[in-house]
Amino acid sequence: MELHDVWFVLIAVLWTGYFFLEGFDFGVGVLTKLLARNRAEKRVLINTIGPVWDGNEVWLLTAGGATFAAFPEWYATLFSGFYLPLLVILVCLIVRGVAFEYRVKRPEERWQRNWETAIFWTSLLPAFLWGVAFGNIVHGVKIDRDLEYVGSVWDLLNPYALLGGLVTLTLFTFHGTVFTALKTVGEIRERARTLALRVGLVTAVLALAFLAWTQVDSGDGKSLAALVVAVAALVVALVANQAGREGWSFALSGVTIVAAVAMLFLTLFPNVMPSTLNADWSLTVTNASSSPYTLKIMTWLAAVATPVVLLYQGWTYWVFRKRIGTQHIAEPAH
């Protein structure tokens, strides 16, 4: 296996880790409107992800940086062609981080309610837009002979990509719902389990349609195996949720995300961005990659830094592993 192939796999792993981790905290952000009934319950939901949300975003920064360094042509075409939706995602992530920090800085109800509304929308929009973006990456976009995107933003809003957006939105919401059931106690935990069943059934229908479309369009035996794993894991996650086994349900919803993302990258390889104008104009792991020397240096750096990051993030989750409920929410200091 060549180094550019290795880095394609590593970037796929980084995106998978990002969607697994950021997926549930996007979902929890959406639940601040769908599940919480009062201010205390909203604080419970936000506190479940408070210690970890910013660490989860490290995976996005690393995936973007790795793409820039390992596949500069892919990075350039992707970020120029998808400029508007990626800008919206970036603004949402900035506002979302500010909302988490500023929500409790003043005691006025209107102030806190506005920041909570910001958390909802800045969780929902990226959850949808990431699916749209990856739907276009896998399905193909208008790339010319100069390896540049020549379509418009409206070309990105095609049925396949929009279905992909609905899948990521509902899947992340389901992932966040079972995470909430795993991390909370009391009435909010029971309502989270009930909502998880409803959201999970919708997710199963949409995911099956999207993954089946992907398989028919450009799949093979490996991608079919990933499809089966994704659907089976989602079904068993629903069963585990109904049985009150939140840990298993959360793990299996994570397996669904991992298998679904793996399927997308399996159907993509050896392309990194297929061209719908001419297959010969597609960006591949060969024509979009950096020099072998650059990839070699990156590989050594990744081998040193990655274990440190994983150990630190794992320690954070271990420290904040306990369940919380409204009884654990202190009165505001104001």
Side-chain angles (χ1 to χ4, degrees), residues 39 106-114 116:
R39 180 59 43 74
R106 290 173 56 179
E108 292 88 347
E109 181 178 348
R110 181 179 179 182
W111 170 273
Q112 296 188 7
R113 185 173 63 248
N114 287 342
E116 288 162 358

Side-chain angles (χ1 to χ4, degrees), residues 8-320:
F8 179 86
V9 174
L10 291 176
I11 289 172
V13 170
L14 290 170
W15 280 110
T16 302
Y18 174 67
F19 288 142
F20 181 96
L21 297 172
E22 189 83 326
F24 72 73
D25 67 46
F26 280 150
V28 171
V30 173
L31 292 179
T32 57
K33 289 286 188 184
L34 300 184
L35 184 64
R37 292 180 176 175
N38 51 50
R39 180 59 43 74
E41 290 188 350
K42 288 183 179 180
R43 291 179 64 188
V44 168
L45 291 175
I46 293 172
N47 284 0
T48 62
I49 60 174
V52 298
W53 68 267
D54 49 354
N56 294 343
E57 291 185 358
V58 170
W59 290 77
L60 172 61
L61 299 175
T62 308
T67 304
F68 172 77
F71 299 100
E73 287 285 354
W74 184 13
Y75 182 93
T77 304
L78 175 65
F79 278 78
S80 60
F82 292 21
Y83 181 82
L84 184 57
L86 292 178
L87 177 62
V88 172
I89 292 174
L90 177 60
V91 171
C92 284
L93 294 179
I94 293 172
V95 174
R96 188 167 179 263
V98 173
F100 281 128
E101 299 298 331
Y102 273 50
R103 185 183 59 87
V104 295
K105 296 301 183 183
R106 290 173 56 179
E108 292 88 347
E109 181 178 348
R110 181 179 179 182
W111 170 273
Q112 296 188 7
R113 185 173 63 248
N114 287 342
W115 285 118
E116 288 162 358
T117 300
I119 290 173
F120 170 76
W121 285 109
T122 56
S123 297
L124 185 148
L125 287 174
F128 175 75
L129 290 175
W130 279 127
V132 173
F134 270 83
N136 280 290
I137 291 173
V138 173
H139 197 58
V141 292
K142 294 180 180 179
I143 298 176
D144 65 9
R145 66 173 66 250
D146 297 320
L147 305 182
E148 295 180 358
Y149 178 72
V150 293
S152 69
V153 67
W154 303 111
D155 293 323
L156 302 178
L157 303 178
N158 56 79
Y160 176 82
L162 292 174
L163 178 58
L166 291 176
V167 170
T168 52
L169 174 58
T170 54
L171 181 56
F172 291 168
T173 304
F174 173 70
H175 196 41
T177 308
V178 294
F179 176 78
T180 299
L182 176 65
K183 287 289 292 180
T184 58
V185 295
E187 183 183 352
I188 192 170
R189 175 189 178 190
E190 299 302 320
R191 281 191 277 114
R193 286 172 53 193
T194 301
L195 182 60
L197 176 61
R198 299 172 185 172
V199 176
L201 291 174
V202 175
T203 303
V205 173
L206 293 175
L208 180 59
F210 178 73
L211 295 180
W213 189 344
T214 305
Q215 179 65 27
V216 171
D217 190 46
S218 54
D220 56 15
K222 294 179 181 178
S223 62
L224 179 59
L227 185 157
V228 172
V229 171
V231 174
L234 182 56
V235 171
V236 180
L238 287 170
V239 174
N241 174 73
Q242 287 301 101
R245 304 297 296 272
E246 293 98 344
W248 281 105
S249 183
F250 176 72
L252 288 165
S253 70
V255 171
T256 301
I257 293 174
V258 171
V261 176
M263 180 186 178
L264 295 182
F265 277 94
L266 284 169
T267 58
L268 188 60
F269 185 82
N271 294 321
V272 293
M273 282 187 77
S275 173
T276 57
L277 299 179
N278 188 325
D280 294 334
W281 298 343
S282 297
L283 291 170
T284 68
V285 293
T286 303
N287 66 16
S289 70
S290 294
S291 67
Y293 180 74
T294 300
L295 296 177
K296 184 177 180 180
I297 296 298
M298 289 176 59
T299 303
W300 281 108
L301 291 174
V304 174
T306 302
V308 177
V309 174
L310 292 176
L311 286 171
Y312 170 77
Q313 195 160 26
W315 177 79
T316 302
Y317 277 93
W318 174 256
V319 170
F320 295 100

